Amino acid sequence: MFMDTLVKKITPESLALAKRLIEEEQLVAFPTETVYGLGALATSEIAIKRVYEVKGRPSDNPLIVHVHKDYDISKLVEVNENGYAKKIAKAFTPGPLTMVYKSKKRVASSLSCGLETLAIRVPQSKEAQEFLTFVNQPIAAPSANISKHISPVTAQHVYQDFNGAIPLILDGGRCQGGIESTVLDVTGEVPVILRKGLITAEMIKQVVGACEYAEETVTQKAKSPGMKYSHYTPNCSTALFERNEIEKGVALYEELEGKGKKAVFLVDEEIALLLGSRRILHLGATGEQMASNLYDLLHEGEKYDCIITFKLNLNSELMLSVNNRFSKAFFKAENKK
Ligand code: TXA
Ligand code: MG
């Protein structure tokens, strides 16, 4: 549709172009502190339809609405002034947290897929705030990747998936958080985490005393529809081993190299130390480092014939969030191939 997608650093000119495109119901990719979003005017059915088409996203998976920090969200959702949600919003937003409220149905109905709720996110990064403030409209934005592919953390990743399909990518460099926001349902008695992320249950408990994980409380149906789909799949072959199967991983690496194929290890620091001078993509040592590096390294790993990896040490709540994405990239890929 578009001959070539523009990739522009954030300047007054590129923001003006972004605003015009959004108002014309076109799509603009923009950086946040988690991953890049594929932005669309949340009140436009036409723009929302484009998002689902361009991504190849299942039509029953609702979108998050992004607003700037001074936007009055009570225009869009029911906010209980005295409830726990207010305290959570005060403590963690702007930030990598998406809150699911009861909707006032002021946005395009296809965006919320018939749900009575609406997910709102106030991102923290300077670039996201600049874009949202300049546009000054609620912006629906899923991660800016083709459905099921790895989420993008650089403008280049977005370009690889959407060159020719969208008119503009705002380039704000690499996203530092690295995994998508925590999705938190605040419509019930206690807050419930529907998607794990950088804000953990422990952090929320410290502010309001309680917080549950949906996996523990909801068994019948996935409350966050997106969680039932496979995600983050690299476009190359992958192999996942237990942490005590180093020899097996090394044997596969050597076998592939013997056949003239290029293999690469994607591992944390503890395992990297055991792999000698072989090709390694370093996830890092802490939960923060691994969250920040995971998608970037999955994209890097796709340049090889095979990514070889080992299960992660689940020694913190944040590592559970990282592992949520890691396991989708590797367990599913393993089953498929
Ligand atoms: O960090 C992020 O959240 C990024 C950046 C761009 O902000 N966005 C993002 O969007 O990850 P997406 O569409 O890839 O994931 C949104 C998740 C999906 O799992 C979706 O099912 C869930 O949020 N969701 C959206 N609206 C919901 C609602 N009303 N109730 C429950 N879950 C909802
Ligand atoms: Mg996504």
Side-chain angles (χ1 to χ4, degrees):
M1 189 166 46
F2 303 94
M3 286 305 280
D4 200 19
T5 298
L6 293 172
V7 181
K8 298 244 177 234
K9 292 262 183 279
I10 298 180
T11 61
E13 292 74 37
S14 66
L15 286 173
L17 175 60
K19 181 174 161 71
R20 180 165 68 73
L21 288 166
I22 290 289
E23 285 167 354
E24 287 173 359
E25 304 173 301
Q26 302 288 351
L27 308 184
V28 174
F30 65 100
T32 77
E33 70 275 24
T34 58
V35 301
Y36 275 72
L38 183 62
L41 187 60
T43 48
S44 160
E45 292 289 353
I46 292 171
I48 299 307
K49 188 159 169 265
R50 280 192 218 278
V51 172
Y52 282 89
E53 276 173 12
V54 164
K55 267 185 75 88
R57 183 178 177 101
S59 60
D60 65 346
N61 191 6
L63 303 176
I64 298 174
V65 171
H66 297 63
V67 294
H68 62 74
K69 63 178 172 15
D70 299 319
Y71 190 92
D72 177 9
I73 65 164
S74 70
K75 287 193 232 171
L76 305 177
V77 292
E78 306 283 350
V79 184
N80 177 353
E81 290 300 323
N82 303 314
Y84 67 81
K86 201 82 187 176
K87 289 187 195 158
I88 294 175
K90 193 154 182 278
F92 298 110
T93 65
L97 177 69
T98 295
M99 296 173 67
V100 175
Y101 294 91
K102 194 164 180 315
S103 177
K104 285 190 176 167
K105 310 220 158 164
R106 302 277 159 75
V107 293
S109 63
S110 55
L111 172 164
S112 45
C113 308
L115 295 174
E116 297 293 311
T117 53
L118 184 66
I120 304 276
R121 169 151 143 73
V122 188
Q124 176 178 43
S125 79
K126 181 172 142 282
E127 294 80 9
Q129 280 295 325
E130 275 177 351
F131 167 68
L132 293 167
T133 305
F134 201 90
V135 175
N136 199 21
Q137 298 269 11
I139 297 293
S143 50
N145 53 283
I146 303 271
S147 204
K148 300 190 174 59
H149 192 220
I150 307 159
S151 299
V153 292
T154 66
Q156 209 48 44
H157 298 155
V158 182
Y159 188 82
Q160 280 163 22
D161 274 12
F162 292 127
N163 182 26
I166 63 172
L168 177 65
I169 301 168
L170 292 174
D171 183 352
R174 198 183 116 169
C175 307
Q176 288 310 308
I179 60 172
E180 301 88 341
S181 62
T182 302
V183 177
L184 185 73
D185 183 346
V186 296
T187 61
E189 288 282 297
V190 293
V192 177
I193 291 182
L194 305 178
R195 177 175 73 182
K196 295 188 177 86
L198 297 171
I199 307 290
T200 63
E202 209 46 56
M203 292 161 73
I204 293 169
K205 268 186 208 158
Q206 278 175 14
V207 175
V208 292
C211 183
E212 292 170 3
Y213 282 109
E215 291 97 311
E216 290 153 16
T217 56
V218 181
T219 47
Q220 292 304 312
K221 61 173 187 173
K223 267 193 103 184
S224 190
M227 299 314 286
K228 69 175 187 268
Y229 296 108
S230 69
H231 280 302
Y232 321 119
T233 316
N235 293 330
C236 62
S237 70
T238 61
L240 174 70
F241 293 99
E242 299 293 334
R243 294 186 74 78
N244 61 7
E245 293 180 328
I246 305 293
E247 293 82 19
K248 278 196 194 171
V250 169
L252 175 62
Y253 180 99
E254 298 300 346
E255 183 193 328
L256 289 166
E257 294 288 308
K259 289 181 186 157
K261 301 231 175 210
K262 281 215 171 337
V264 68
F265 288 109
L266 184 146
V267 293
D268 53 56
E269 273 323 285
E270 198 177 292
I271 291 191
L273 293 172
L274 308 173
L275 297 173
S277 60
R278 297 177 181 91
R279 238 175 267 115
I280 298 173
L281 298 171
H282 292 269
L283 275 171
T286 65
E288 282 82 7
Q289 288 168 356
M290 293 194 224
S292 179
N293 291 332
L294 180 65
Y295 291 151
D296 200 29
L297 296 184
L298 285 170
H299 279 281
E300 192 57 32
E302 284 190 326
K303 297 176 185 161
Y304 298 85
D305 295 305
C306 183
I307 305 173
I308 304 174
T309 191
F310 299 88
K311 287 188 182 168
L312 300 173
N313 255 333
L314 305 183
N315 49 13
S316 69
E317 253 201 304
L318 185 52
M319 281 308 296
L320 294 180
S321 303
V322 174
N323 190 55
N324 173 276
R325 312 304 198 275
F326 176 88
S327 59
K328 283 184 177 138
F330 290 108
F331 295 165
K332 290 268 165 70
E334 216 191 17
N335 295 340
K336 266 187 272 167
K337 281 168 187 155

